[in-house]
Amino acid sequence: DEAMNARKRRGEELVTRWLAAQNARDFVAYEKLYAARFTGIKRSGERTRTMDRASWLADRKAMFEKPFGVEAKDVRAVAEAG
């Protein structure tokens, strides 16, 4: 179905933009990828913390100030009807 294929492509493109924004350390592009009603889960060792969008982005902004790299392997986009 063409609509499902289009949704799958959008998902794949989102992952590509997410990786590119981080590896370019482009925080403005990175934060635009997160919905206004985003909830993130940060895991650090045994600790798990739930964060709203503002808290998540504040945490990530500090990360963007240091050199880092991000990669994704075996990513699969699945489109669902609806």
Side-chain angles (χ1 to χ4, degrees):
D1 170 284
E2 188 57 36
M4 286 183 42
N5 287 335
R7 284 194 292 276
K8 182 178 176 184
R9 281 192 305 275
R10 284 194 304 271
E12 291 166 343
E13 291 166 1
L14 176 64
V15 172
T16 298
R17 290 193 319 268
W18 180 80
L19 288 168
Q22 290 184 86
N23 287 319
R25 293 176 51 199
D26 183 348
F27 188 77
V28 172
Y30 176 81
E31 70 181 336
K32 287 179 182 178
L33 298 171
Y34 287 84
R37 293 179 54 191
F38 173 80
T39 301
I41 300 173
K42 181 177 181 177
R43 293 175 180 87
S44 181
E46 295 293 319
R47 186 174 176 201
T48 299
R49 194 168 99 199
T50 301
M51 305 167 121
D52 64 10
R53 183 182 190 274
S55 297
W56 180 266
L57 292 174
D59 180 75
R60 297 300 162 189
K61 188 164 185 141
M63 180 182 80
F64 272 68
E65 294 172 4
K66 301 173 187 167
F68 69 96
V70 177
E71 65 181 73
K73 295 180 182 179
D74 299 323
V75 176
R76 295 183 194 132
V78 177
E80 296 180 0

